[in-house]
C-alpha cells in the first residue's frame, strides 16, 4: 500500500483505536487480578495485562514508522465504538470470580470484534496486518483459556 496523507491518517486512526482497546484490556486485567482470590487466576490475569502492554508497544511502533506520534488520548473510531472493559469494574467489587471471568470474556469478545473490523477496513499495510493478525490470534487464544476457566 502506498501511503498518502489520507491513507496514513486512516491507518493511524485504526491503530490508535486498537491501542485504546488494548489499554482497556490491560487495565481490565489488572483490576481483575486485584479482585480474584485464586492465585493461579490472578497470575494469568497479570500475564494477560502484560501481554496487552506489549501489544500496545508493537502498535505504537507501527504508528511511529508512519511518521506519526501515538495518540495518548486514545480513541479513534474503534475505541469510541465500544469500551467494554471500562464498564466491567462493577463486576469486580463483589469479588465474585465467575462475574469477573464473565466480564473478561465480554472484554475479549469486544476486542476481537474491533480487531476484525480493523482488518476488514483495509487501511493497514502488510506489516501492520501481520502484527494485528498475530495479536488477534493471541487474544482469541486468551478468550478460549478464560472460557475454559469458567467451565472448570
Amino acid at each position: 500500500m502506498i501511503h498518502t496523507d489520507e491513507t496514513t491518517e486512516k491507518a493511524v486512526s485504526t491503530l490508535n483505536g486498537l491501542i485504546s482497546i488494548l489499554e482497556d484490556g490491560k487495565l481490565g486485567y489488572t483490576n481483575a487480578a486485584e479482585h480474584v482470590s485464586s492465585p493461579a487466576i490472578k497470575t494469568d490475569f497479570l500475564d494477560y495485562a502484560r501481554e496487552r502492554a506489549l501489544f500496545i508497544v508493537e502498535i505504537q511502533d507501527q504508528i511511529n514508522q508512519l511518521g506519526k506520534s501515538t495518540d495518548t488520548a486514545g480513541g479513534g473510531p474503534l475505541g469510541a465504538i465500544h469500551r467494554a472493559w471500562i464498564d466491567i469494574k462493577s463486576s469486580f467489587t463483589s469479588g465474585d470470580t465467575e462475574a469477573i471471568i464473565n466480564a473478561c470474556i465480554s472484554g475479549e469478545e469486544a476486542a476481537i470484534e474491533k480487531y476484525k473490523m480493523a482488518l476488514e477496513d483495509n487501511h493497514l499495510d502488510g506489516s501492520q496486518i501481520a502484527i494485528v493478525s498475530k495479536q488477534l490470534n493471541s487474544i482469541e487464544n486468551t478468550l478460549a483459556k478464560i472460557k475454559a476457566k469458567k467451565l472448570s
Side-chain angles (χ1 to χ4, degrees):
M1 171 188 297
I2 298 172
H3 282 288
T4 63
D5 285 346
E6 184 180 346
T7 59
T8 297
E9 290 305 319
K10 286 180 179 177
V12 169
S13 178
T14 297
L15 294 170
N16 271 325
L18 294 177
I19 288 173
S20 180
I21 289 156
L22 290 167
E23 288 282 359
D24 289 349
K26 182 178 76 171
L27 292 171
Y29 279 123
T30 302
N31 273 328
E34 291 172 8
H35 291 88
V36 293
S37 55
S38 163
I41 293 175
K42 183 183 296 271
T43 298
D44 287 343
F45 285 164
L46 290 173
D47 286 344
Y48 302 152
R50 275 191 289 279
E51 181 182 56
R52 294 307 175 273
L54 291 173
F55 288 174
I56 290 166
V57 171
E58 287 180 332
I59 292 179
Q60 286 173 331
D61 286 346
Q62 290 299 307
I63 292 172
N64 293 336
Q65 287 176 24
L66 292 171
K68 301 291 180 182
S69 59
T70 51
D71 176 10
T72 54
L78 291 177
I81 293 171
H82 193 283
R83 303 292 298 264
W85 286 100
I86 298 302
D87 298 326
I88 63 177
K89 191 169 182 180
S90 60
S91 303
F92 299 154
T93 56
S94 65
D96 177 356
T97 299
E98 185 177 349
I100 292 169
I101 288 173
N102 286 336
C104 291
I105 288 170
S106 295
E108 289 297 63
E109 287 172 343
I112 288 167
E113 179 184 330
K114 301 311 168 239
Y115 265 75
K116 288 180 177 177
M117 284 174 54
L119 290 169
E120 290 167 8
D121 282 345
N122 292 322
H123 297 310
L124 305 178
D125 68 21
S127 63
Q128 294 160 355
I129 290 169
I131 288 170
V132 171
S133 296
K134 175 187 69 85
Q135 290 182 0
L136 171 59
N137 188 290
S138 182
I139 293 169
E140 288 172 334
N141 288 335
T142 298
L143 176 60
K145 290 176 192 171
I146 294 170
K147 285 183 173 179
K149 287 183 194 340
K150 186 175 173 177
L151 301 174
S152 58

PDB file of all heavy atoms in Angstrom, residues 89-107:
ATOM      1  N   LYS A  89     -15.867  -2.842  35.782  1.00  0.00           N
ATOM      2  CA  LYS A  89     -15.293  -2.730  37.123  1.00  0.00           C
ATOM      3  C   LYS A  89     -16.315  -3.048  38.208  1.00  0.00           C
ATOM      4  O   LYS A  89     -15.972  -3.609  39.244  1.00  0.00           O
ATOM      5  CB  LYS A  89     -14.699  -1.346  37.340  1.00  0.00           C
ATOM      6  CG  LYS A  89     -13.876  -1.289  38.606  1.00  0.00           C
ATOM      7  CD  LYS A  89     -13.071  -0.033  38.714  1.00  0.00           C
ATOM      8  CE  LYS A  89     -12.250  -0.095  39.973  1.00  0.00           C
ATOM      9  NZ  LYS A  89     -11.433   1.058  40.171  1.00  0.00           N
ATOM     10  N   SER A  90     -17.584  -2.742  37.973  1.00  0.00           N
ATOM     11  CA  SER A  90     -18.607  -3.037  38.974  1.00  0.00           C
ATOM     12  C   SER A  90     -18.683  -4.534  39.262  1.00  0.00           C
ATOM     13  O   SER A  90     -19.024  -4.939  40.371  1.00  0.00           O
ATOM     14  CB  SER A  90     -19.973  -2.522  38.519  1.00  0.00           C
ATOM     15  OG  SER A  90     -20.343  -3.142  37.308  1.00  0.00           O
ATOM     16  N   SER A  91     -18.342  -5.358  38.270  1.00  0.00           N
ATOM     17  CA  SER A  91     -18.334  -6.805  38.493  1.00  0.00           C
ATOM     18  C   SER A  91     -17.258  -7.191  39.493  1.00  0.00           C
ATOM     19  O   SER A  91     -17.376  -8.207  40.174  1.00  0.00           O
ATOM     20  CB  SER A  91     -18.054  -7.550  37.185  1.00  0.00           C
ATOM     21  OG  SER A  91     -18.990  -7.226  36.211  1.00  0.00           O
ATOM     22  N   PHE A  92     -16.204  -6.394  39.568  1.00  0.00           N
ATOM     23  CA  PHE A  92     -15.070  -6.751  40.402  1.00  0.00           C
ATOM     24  C   PHE A  92     -15.318  -6.469  41.879  1.00  0.00           C
ATOM     25  O   PHE A  92     -14.723  -7.101  42.732  1.00  0.00           O
ATOM     26  CB  PHE A  92     -13.821  -5.984  39.972  1.00  0.00           C
ATOM     27  CG  PHE A  92     -13.398  -6.250  38.560  1.00  0.00           C
ATOM     28  CD1 PHE A  92     -12.678  -5.304  37.868  1.00  0.00           C
ATOM     29  CD2 PHE A  92     -13.722  -7.428  37.924  1.00  0.00           C
ATOM     30  CE1 PHE A  92     -12.270  -5.538  36.570  1.00  0.00           C
ATOM     31  CE2 PHE A  92     -13.324  -7.672  36.625  1.00  0.00           C
ATOM     32  CZ  PHE A  92     -12.592  -6.729  35.948  1.00  0.00           C
ATOM     33  N   THR A  93     -16.166  -5.513  42.171  1.00  0.00           N
ATOM     34  CA  THR A  93     -16.312  -5.094  43.565  1.00  0.00           C
ATOM     35  C   THR A  93     -16.874  -6.212  44.431  1.00  0.00           C
ATOM     36  O   THR A  93     -16.591  -6.262  45.609  1.00  0.00           O
ATOM     37  CB  THR A  93     -17.199  -3.842  43.676  1.00  0.00           C
ATOM     38  OG1 THR A  93     -18.452  -4.122  43.048  1.00  0.00           O
ATOM     39  CG2 THR A  93     -16.542  -2.656  43.012  1.00  0.00           C
ATOM     40  N   SER A  94     -17.627  -7.122  43.851  1.00  0.00           N
ATOM     41  CA  SER A  94     -18.186  -8.214  44.634  1.00  0.00           C
ATOM     42  C   SER A  94     -17.146  -9.301  44.895  1.00  0.00           C
ATOM     43  O   SER A  94     -17.335 -10.126  45.782  1.00  0.00           O
ATOM     44  CB  SER A  94     -19.384  -8.820  43.906  1.00  0.00           C
ATOM     45  OG  SER A  94     -18.958  -9.427  42.696  1.00  0.00           O
ATOM     46  N   GLY A  95     -16.065  -9.314  44.102  1.00  0.00           N
ATOM     47  CA  GLY A  95     -15.060 -10.352  44.262  1.00  0.00           C
ATOM     48  C   GLY A  95     -15.531 -11.704  43.758  1.00  0.00           C
ATOM     49  O   GLY A  95     -14.895 -12.724  43.995  1.00  0.00           O
ATOM     50  N   ASP A  96     -16.658 -11.736  43.064  1.00  0.00           N
ATOM     51  CA  ASP A  96     -17.223 -12.966  42.521  1.00  0.00           C
ATOM     52  C   ASP A  96     -16.406 -13.383  41.302  1.00  0.00           C
ATOM     53  O   ASP A  96     -16.455 -12.739  40.259  1.00  0.00           O
ATOM     54  CB  ASP A  96     -18.693 -12.717  42.152  1.00  0.00           C
ATOM     55  CG  ASP A  96     -19.361 -13.917  41.510  1.00  0.00           C
ATOM     56  OD1 ASP A  96     -18.681 -14.935  41.264  1.00  0.00           O
ATOM     57  OD2 ASP A  96     -20.570 -13.825  41.240  1.00  0.00           O
ATOM     58  N   THR A  97     -15.644 -14.474  41.449  1.00  0.00           N
ATOM     59  CA  THR A  97     -14.739 -14.906  40.390  1.00  0.00           C
ATOM     60  C   THR A  97     -15.491 -15.163  39.091  1.00  0.00           C
ATOM     61  O   THR A  97     -15.024 -14.779  38.016  1.00  0.00           O
ATOM     62  CB  THR A  97     -13.949 -16.159  40.827  1.00  0.00           C
ATOM     63  OG1 THR A  97     -13.179 -15.819  41.978  1.00  0.00           O
ATOM     64  CG2 THR A  97     -13.015 -16.637  39.725  1.00  0.00           C
ATOM     65  N   GLU A  98     -16.656 -15.790  39.164  1.00  0.00           N
ATOM     66  CA  GLU A  98     -17.408 -16.066  37.942  1.00  0.00           C
ATOM     67  C   GLU A  98     -17.826 -14.770  37.246  1.00  0.00           C
ATOM     68  O   GLU A  98     -17.726 -14.652  36.021  1.00  0.00           O
ATOM     69  CB  GLU A  98     -18.645 -16.933  38.229  1.00  0.00           C
ATOM     70  CG  GLU A  98     -19.361 -17.323  36.947  1.00  0.00           C
ATOM     71  CD  GLU A  98     -20.542 -18.249  37.178  1.00  0.00           C
ATOM     72  OE1 GLU A  98     -20.709 -18.761  38.297  1.00  0.00           O
ATOM     73  OE2 GLU A  98     -21.296 -18.454  36.205  1.00  0.00           O
ATOM     74  N   ALA A  99     -18.258 -13.780  38.018  1.00  0.00           N
ATOM     75  CA  ALA A  99     -18.646 -12.492  37.429  1.00  0.00           C
ATOM     76  C   ALA A  99     -17.435 -11.810  36.789  1.00  0.00           C
ATOM     77  O   ALA A  99     -17.545 -11.215  35.713  1.00  0.00           O
ATOM     78  CB  ALA A  99     -19.259 -11.584  38.496  1.00  0.00           C
ATOM     79  N   ILE A 100     -16.288 -11.919  37.437  1.00  0.00           N
ATOM     80  CA  ILE A 100     -15.070 -11.315  36.893  1.00  0.00           C
ATOM     81  C   ILE A 100     -14.673 -12.009  35.592  1.00  0.00           C
ATOM     82  O   ILE A 100     -14.353 -11.353  34.598  1.00  0.00           O
ATOM     83  CB  ILE A 100     -13.929 -11.367  37.932  1.00  0.00           C
ATOM     84  CG1 ILE A 100     -14.269 -10.436  39.110  1.00  0.00           C
ATOM     85  CG2 ILE A 100     -12.593 -10.987  37.308  1.00  0.00           C
ATOM     86  CD1 ILE A 100     -13.356 -10.585  40.307  1.00  0.00           C
ATOM     87  N   ILE A 101     -14.736 -13.341  35.586  1.00  0.00           N
ATOM     88  CA  ILE A 101     -14.410 -14.096  34.369  1.00  0.00           C
ATOM     89  C   ILE A 101     -15.382 -13.728  33.248  1.00  0.00           C
ATOM     90  O   ILE A 101     -14.972 -13.508  32.109  1.00  0.00           O
ATOM     91  CB  ILE A 101     -14.389 -15.611  34.652  1.00  0.00           C
ATOM     92  CG1 ILE A 101     -13.148 -15.946  35.492  1.00  0.00           C
ATOM     93  CG2 ILE A 101     -14.408 -16.413  33.358  1.00  0.00           C
ATOM     94  CD1 ILE A 101     -13.078 -17.377  35.987  1.00  0.00           C
ATOM     95  N   ASN A 102     -16.669 -13.624  33.565  1.00  0.00           N
ATOM     96  CA  ASN A 102     -17.655 -13.226  32.549  1.00  0.00           C
ATOM     97  C   ASN A 102     -17.351 -11.846  31.995  1.00  0.00           C
ATOM     98  O   ASN A 102     -17.488 -11.600  30.797  1.00  0.00           O
ATOM     99  CB  ASN A 102     -19.074 -13.266  33.126  1.00  0.00           C
ATOM    100  CG  ASN A 102     -19.584 -14.676  33.298  1.00  0.00           C
ATOM    101  OD1 ASN A 102     -19.134 -15.602  32.632  1.00  0.00           O
ATOM    102  ND2 ASN A 102     -20.534 -14.848  34.202  1.00  0.00           N
ATOM    103  N   ALA A 103     -16.930 -10.932  32.868  1.00  0.00           N
ATOM    104  CA  ALA A 103     -16.591  -9.583  32.421  1.00  0.00           C
ATOM    105  C   ALA A 103     -15.367  -9.622  31.504  1.00  0.00           C
ATOM    106  O   ALA A 103     -15.325  -8.914  30.486  1.00  0.00           O
ATOM    107  CB  ALA A 103     -16.328  -8.690  33.637  1.00  0.00           C
ATOM    108  N   CYS A 104     -14.395 -10.452  31.834  1.00  0.00           N
ATOM    109  CA  CYS A 104     -13.201 -10.581  30.989  1.00  0.00           C
ATOM    110  C   CYS A 104     -13.565 -11.184  29.634  1.00  0.00           C
ATOM    111  O   CYS A 104     -13.043 -10.753  28.598  1.00  0.00           O
ATOM    112  CB  CYS A 104     -12.144 -11.429  31.694  1.00  0.00           C
ATOM    113  SG  CYS A 104     -11.425 -10.616  33.144  1.00  0.00           S
ATOM    114  N   ILE A 105     -14.464 -12.140  29.630  1.00  0.00           N
ATOM    115  CA  ILE A 105     -14.927 -12.724  28.369  1.00  0.00           C
ATOM    116  C   ILE A 105     -15.573 -11.647  27.506  1.00  0.00           C
ATOM    117  O   ILE A 105     -15.282 -11.538  26.306  1.00  0.00           O
ATOM    118  CB  ILE A 105     -15.894 -13.903  28.638  1.00  0.00           C
ATOM    119  CG1 ILE A 105     -15.120 -15.107  29.189  1.00  0.00           C
ATOM    120  CG2 ILE A 105     -16.649 -14.290  27.362  1.00  0.00           C
ATOM    121  CD1 ILE A 105     -15.995 -16.241  29.707  1.00  0.00           C
ATOM    122  N   SER A 106     -16.418 -10.829  28.101  1.00  0.00           N
ATOM    123  CA  SER A 106     -17.064  -9.739  27.348  1.00  0.00           C
ATOM    124  C   SER A 106     -16.035  -8.775  26.773  1.00  0.00           C
ATOM    125  O   SER A 106     -16.140  -8.344  25.619  1.00  0.00           O
ATOM    126  CB  SER A 106     -18.029  -8.963  28.248  1.00  0.00           C
ATOM    127  OG  SER A 106     -19.089  -9.782  28.646  1.00  0.00           O
ATOM    128  N   GLY A 107     -15.042  -8.440  27.576  1.00  0.00           N
ATOM    129  CA  GLY A 107     -13.990  -7.535  27.118  1.00  0.00           C
ATOM    130  C   GLY A 107     -13.205  -8.121  25.956  1.00  0.00           C
ATOM    131  O   GLY A 107     -12.923  -7.431  24.969  1.00  0.00           O
TER     132      GLY A 107
END
